[in-house]
Amino acid sequence: MSMIRDLRAVVRPSRVSLRKDSGPYDATRSPATATAVVDCAVYRDGRRIETEAPLTPHEAVRLVRRDGGFVWIGLHEPTEAEFSGIASEFGLHPLAVEDAVQAHQRPKLERYDDSLFTVFKTIHYVEHDQLDANSEVVESGEVMCFTGRDFFITVRHGGQGSLRALRHRLQDDPELLAKGPSAVLHAIADHVVDGYIAVADAVQDDIDEVETEVFSPGRKGSPRGSDAGRIYQLKREVLEFKRAVSPLLRPMQLLSERPMLLIDPDIQKYFRDVADHLARVQEQVLGFDELLNSILQANLAQASVAQNEDMRKITSWAAIIAVPTMVCGVYGMNFDHMPELHWRYGYPVIMGITVVICLGIHRTLKRNGWL
């Protein structure tokens, strides 16, 4: 089927610029907006039902139950009061509703009666001119999805992860949308995982940069300890990345392997591709953690070596200075009867012997690599 063959091209970001007329699709909730509903639309036979005025969730439900199709409602950071009406309209489970409102959930897949509740963590790469110990590398958000027979509800948290462009691309392929809410769930899962891949590539560049600088010979001008701070900051950001990727692997495997009434069999096949890409990202992120550990250990070893070299130099100069100190100490005791004390050539001879001994010690230490 042509729709299935073109599925990857549809749900992935298109290189063609989006329409300038975005209609009612707002990326984020405006502070002046009195409702958390970003968009509410009814789809029948894969096409959006156009109405004179924007639909309310209640009106959309009436249309779906009267004429068929499914409703897709998008919300951004709803309050409990704002979401309670929608939850009661679709019979959503209270535990899932609580998770969707409160956010800060682990990626997961749960089934409640005749609906699926899926949590995705979106990851956005934060551009920065130069990586330092305080740089924010990744920023996370959340997308919660309620999938039913005739409805699909998305609840977003955070400023990133807008689904506006994804909705446009899905609407451009009615044959795909005709598969129902499961097609939208797959599109969002694929969209989120594609975001992981892009972020992983960007983080890889940051790690390569730090690795190059740590092992650059003769690098000057970098304060000692600054590399360790940057490496530790990268490790924290990679840990946040891993918290988004690793828990999602099991839900994607379940969606791709276990038959579910709410997931179209033709769509379920393509969850395997998402799970495969997610597994590769997970391996990459785990590799980041191990590589950063190695770089950090190497940096600490370099710092220890540098400290040892400093101590060797200090010890070497202390040994050299000890010779004239000892001589001056001996001849500064002010005894009347001391050898060569009243000898005419005593001072130049002693000074010459002192200089020769100091030069000999300096040459020996330098030959042994201490200076």
Side-chain angles (χ1 to χ4, degrees), residues 87 90-94 96-97 109-118 145-153 185 260-263:
F90 294 97
L92 304 180
H93 197 279
V97 172
L109 171 66
E110 295 177 343
R111 179 163 185 172
Y112 295 99
D113 301 327
D114 55 350
S115 66
L116 293 177
F117 177 60
T118 315
C145 302
F146 294 88
T147 307
R149 295 182 181 276
D150 56 0
F151 66 87
F152 190 84
I153 302 172
L185 178 61
M260 298 183 183
L261 294 177
L262 297 174
I263 304 298

Side-chain angles (χ1 to χ4, degrees), residues 113-134:
D113 301 327
D114 55 350
S115 66
L116 293 177
F117 177 60
T118 315
V119 177
F120 300 95
K121 274 194 174 294
T122 57
I123 296 294
H124 171 70
Y125 180 76
V126 180
E127 297 289 344
H128 44 264
D129 296 331
Q130 186 176 5
L131 181 66
D132 55 39
N134 298 316

Side-chain angles (χ1 to χ4, degrees), residues 53 195 272:
R272 300 173 190 169

Side-chain angles (χ1 to χ4, degrees), residues 43-78:
Y43 297 90
R44 190 176 303 121
D45 297 327
R47 299 187 181 278
R48 179 173 177 139
I49 304 301
E50 299 295 338
T51 57
E52 295 181 358
L55 290 173
T56 65
H58 180 69
E59 293 171 340
V61 170
R62 289 175 54 192
L63 280 177
V64 168
R65 292 175 180 172
R66 185 186 65 187
D67 302 324
F70 74 95
V71 57
W72 180 359
I73 302 175
L75 301 101
H76 182 253
E77 298 183 353

Side-chain angles (χ1 to χ4, degrees), residues 287-356:
F288 289 163
D289 195 35
E290 294 177 2
L291 180 58
L292 286 171
N293 283 333
S294 300
I295 296 174
L296 182 59
Q297 292 299 323
N299 180 254
L300 294 177
Q302 287 180 337
S304 298
V305 169
Q307 290 176 353
N308 290 336
E309 290 179 353
D310 292 342
M311 290 303 299
R312 287 165 62 177
K313 291 180 180 179
I314 293 172
T315 304
S316 299
W317 286 110
I320 294 173
I321 295 173
V323 175
T325 301
M326 181 187 67
V327 173
C328 294
V330 170
Y331 282 92
M333 292 188 293
N334 299 322
F335 288 109
D336 290 334
H337 303 286
M338 291 182 64
E340 294 85 26
L341 186 62
H342 300 287
W343 184 36
R344 182 177 181 179
Y345 300 102
Y347 176 75
V349 169
I350 293 300
M351 292 302 295
I353 293 174
T354 302
V355 171
V356 170

